[in-house]
């Protein structure tokens, strides 16, 4: 009886352990292995930048012509960067516009996005990884594009000037400190 009880407990433990296995463990059991790719390498850098409020985006381009692949990759990176900046503007709006009316918030957000779109011209390619497939004679280019947070700050202030209530909040010490920290982190990354 004791053996049956021990066997039953062991069976339950095995089932529970198997049920709690991570998706990576399950994939490994099915013959998959975890690999580091160019995209995952750039995503690590991107994650670090985002923690410092530095807007960035990753693009991928493929072509038999390296320059075409680079161009596609950087263009796609700029599109991802524009999306990241819009998300950042929304986040700032939510944090610093708690007491402003809905219409003023909407107008400010639209203006901030309009101004930041203009600043995207100043986007910089931070890192590029180029791969070549000899069998297909094709290049695959991964690009991390970033934007100096000072340009985002400039755009936010320009939009805030058009909305007096937002101007007061945008000039708050907390928001200014956050934007200055982002600019310092950006300068540190580019001065290496």
């Amino acid at each position: 009886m004791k053996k049956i009880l021990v066997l039953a407990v062991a069976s339950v433990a095995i089932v529970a352990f198997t049920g709690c296995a991570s998706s990576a463990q399950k994939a490994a059991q099915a013959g998959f292995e975890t690999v580091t790719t160019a995209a995952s390498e750039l995503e690590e850098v991107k994650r670090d930048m985002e923690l410092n409020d530095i807007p960035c985006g990753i693009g991928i381009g493929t072509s038999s012509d390296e320059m075409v692949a680079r161009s596609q990759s950087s263009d796609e990176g700029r599109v991802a960067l524009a999306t990241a900046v819009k998300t950042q503007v929304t986040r700032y709006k939510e944090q610093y516009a708690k007491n402003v009316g809905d219409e003023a918030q909407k107008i400010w957000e639209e203006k901030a996005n309009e101004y930041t779109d203009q600043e995207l011209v100043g986007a910089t390619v931070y890192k590029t990884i180029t791969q070549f497939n000899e069998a297909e004679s094709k290049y695959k280019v991964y690009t991390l594009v970033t934007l100096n947070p000072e340009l985002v700050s400039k755009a936010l202030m320009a939009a805030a000037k058009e909305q007096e209530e937002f101007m007061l909040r945008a000039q708050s010490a907390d928001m200014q400190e956050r934007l200055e920290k982002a600019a310092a982190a950006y300068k540190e990354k580019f001065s290496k």
Side-chain angles (χ1 to χ4, degrees):
M1 182 69 169
K2 212 174 193 184
K3 283 185 180 181
I4 293 175
L5 183 59
V6 170
L7 195 54
V9 170
S11 297
V12 169
I14 289 171
V15 170
F17 180 73
T18 305
C20 294
S22 72
S23 60
Q25 290 169 327
K26 288 177 184 175
Q29 291 170 353
F32 288 92
E33 64 181 83
T34 301
V35 296
T36 300
T37 65
S40 58
E41 182 182 328
L42 290 181
E43 285 170 353
E44 281 185 40
V45 176
K46 181 178 180 273
R47 195 172 22 260
D48 179 48
M49 287 184 169
E50 288 173 337
L51 288 174
N52 290 304
D53 284 330
I54 299 171
C56 50
I58 297 173
I60 302 171
T62 305
S63 175
S64 57
D65 182 315
E66 182 183 3
M67 291 314 293
V68 170
R70 283 182 175 275
S71 183
Q72 287 174 351
S73 178
S74 62
D75 288 349
E76 192 177 299
R78 288 177 200 285
V79 169
L81 173 62
T83 301
V85 169
K86 285 181 183 3
T87 300
Q88 194 172 34
V89 166
T90 300
R91 200 170 59 236
Y92 284 138
K93 178 196 78 171
E94 289 168 357
Q95 288 177 344
Y96 299 102
K98 292 178 179 128
N99 299 322
V100 181
D102 286 341
E103 187 61 29
Q105 284 183 30
K106 184 179 177 190
I107 292 169
W108 179 82
E109 187 174 3
E110 287 171 1
K111 282 291 178 190
N113 284 327
E114 180 183 318
Y115 287 124
T116 54
D117 282 347
Q118 293 169 12
E119 298 300 337
L120 286 173
V121 173
T124 305
V125 172
Y126 180 75
K127 186 172 183 175
T128 299
I129 299 172
T130 304
Q131 297 177 336
F132 182 70
N133 182 321
E134 209 168 305
E136 295 181 14
S137 293
K138 285 193 177 180
Y139 290 91
K140 191 166 201 173
V141 179
Y142 299 81
T143 304
L144 176 63
V145 180
T146 187
L147 183 66
N148 186 337
E150 288 177 342
L151 297 175
V152 176
S153 177
K154 178 180 152 188
L156 293 176
M157 291 304 137
K161 284 180 183 173
E162 295 186 21
Q163 292 289 322
E164 192 173 323
E165 289 181 81
F166 259 96
M167 188 60 186
L168 297 173
R169 294 187 194 330
Q171 290 177 332
S172 73
D174 182 44
M175 184 172 186
Q176 289 300 314
E177 182 180 334
R178 225 175 134 180
L179 292 169
E180 287 169 10
K181 272 184 174 177
Y186 179 86
K187 284 179 184 173
E188 182 180 318
K189 290 226 180 276
F190 275 95
S191 64
K192 291 182 180 178

